[in-house]
Amino acid sequence: MARLGLLLLIETICLSVSLAENPPPQSPATAYGQHQDLMRVLSAAGHPRPIRSLDDWHARRRHILSGLQQVMGPLPDRSRRVPLEVRTIETVQLKGVSRRKLTFRSDHSQRVSAYLFVFDTDPDPDRRAARRPAVLCLQQTHRDGKREAAGLAGNPDLAHALHLARRGYVTLAPDYPGFGDSTFDFDPKHGYASGTMKAIWDNIRAVDLLVSLPQVDASRIGVIGHSLGGHNAMFTAAFEPRLRVIVSNCGFTRFHKDDVPSWTGPRYMPRIRTRFGNSADRVPFDFPEIIGTFAPRPFLAIAAKRDRDFDYTGVLDSIDAARPVYVLHAAAGSLQAAYPDIGHSFPSSSRSLADRFLDRHLKHVPSQ
């Protein structure tokens, strides 16, 4: 545990530096034509060499984050980290938890609507006052947005925020841009080159909100999502080291095994079409690399074998490709995957896998 904490601290410091600098657009010297070989890094002159140390990996990791920003647009700099100015709209007391609808400021011009669940009815005052682990709960593609994650609409299997709150977590479910109460119109004039980067930034600010709460242990925050929420969780965790545990259900596959144009709508990444010609060979990142950026943080991928949206064999490929990075970090056991023989869904059987994974890595560890 001490070694894992040290590695996480190193990763956090390195990422904080890279985010502060906002890596420049990817140059040919850092362009990787093969995104499944994560154990090679290019020198400044563009020469590949094997990765043999954490320093080597940190260089490759910077290249990966640069590749993501080539497609998604640059991560906002500190000037957009405005005060949250949280406003509570309503509070509803449920069995064992309270549900608060609130909004918070994401940047200078946009507010995000979310549901916060807090376990605040424990009769023991010491347990009630204790800081708890928290989970950011991200919606699938659903017009009601966060309401489904809160158990107020849609599929009860996807009520992550309510379900996990009743298991003792503080949970936060924000709207994805353009869904629920969001009126975001995806015009680049707002400063985002993609809906994906807008969602990433909103989620980072959501973590800011969780960290600010007296009920939350800031060292034990995770993220979970299904489908849109599954890859949104991964994209956010690549840039946000405070998300210590990541769970993605039916959320991704390799671009070479996917319908690449489906990623190019305004809610996603238009540059895949306009700059990279909808070519999986030209897109400067892929999901194996994203998983690699998580190491040594625990990551669980649940990939349904009969998923018609995301080919599970691309998840197999991605986990295999990322495994050497976890081995390098002495954290091989933190990379997990399951492949249930079902369709694109998140039934109770898959939910149980996610629950156990989150509990093991967020509940059953000492606070750091």
Side-chain angles (χ1 to χ4, degrees), residues 31-74:
Y32 292 81
Q34 220 286 42
H35 300 290
Q36 283 186 270
D37 183 359
L38 272 64
M39 296 306 289
R40 298 182 74 80
V41 62
L42 298 182
S43 68
H47 303 306
R49 57 183 173 83
I51 290 176
R52 296 193 173 94
S53 68
L54 289 177
D55 284 344
D56 289 340
W57 170 248
H58 292 151
R60 176 67 188 271
R61 193 174 190 278
R62 288 192 295 272
H63 296 167
I64 294 169
L65 294 180
S66 178
L68 265 65
Q69 290 177 90
Q70 287 292 297
V71 177
M72 301 171 179

Side-chain angles (χ1 to χ4, degrees), residues 75-94:
L75 186 76
D77 60 25
R78 292 178 181 177
S79 68
R80 273 194 245 180
R81 209 176 213 121
V82 298
L84 290 166
E85 297 179 6
V86 179
R87 299 173 185 168
T88 300
I89 308 301
E90 67 177 13
T91 300
V92 177
Q93 195 65 48
L94 305 174

Side-chain angles (χ1 to χ4, degrees), residues 96 119-132:
F119 190 93
D120 57 3
T121 59
D122 196 310
D124 185 316
D126 291 333
R127 287 200 301 264
R128 193 166 60 246
R131 290 180 179 267
R132 295 174 177 270

Side-chain angles (χ1 to χ4, degrees), residues 10 27 45 86 94 151 199 247 342 350:
I10 292 171
S27 69
V86 179
L94 305 174
V247 177
I342 56 176
S350 297

Side-chain angles (χ1 to χ4, degrees), residues 227-228 231 249-253 257-258 262-263 268 287 303-315 344:
S227 195
L228 166 65
H231 48 259
N249 184 80
C250 293
F252 72 101
T253 187
K257 295 186 175 183
D258 205 355
S262 69
W263 290 95
Y268 287 110
F287 283 92
K305 288 184 177 179
R306 288 183 275 140
D307 190 338
R308 295 184 178 180
D309 291 354
F310 299 109
D311 184 342
Y312 85 97
T313 66
V315 178
H344 188 80

Side-chain angles (χ1 to χ4, degrees), residues 2-40:
R3 176 178 172 81
L4 177 59
L6 177 60
L7 289 172
L8 283 169
L9 177 61
I10 292 171
E11 292 286 354
T12 300
I13 292 171
C14 290
L15 184 55
S16 297
V17 171
S18 70
L19 296 188
E21 294 174 348
N22 248 350
Q26 192 181 34
S27 69
T30 56
Y32 292 81
Q34 220 286 42
H35 300 290
Q36 283 186 270
D37 183 359
L38 272 64
M39 296 306 289
R40 298 182 74 80

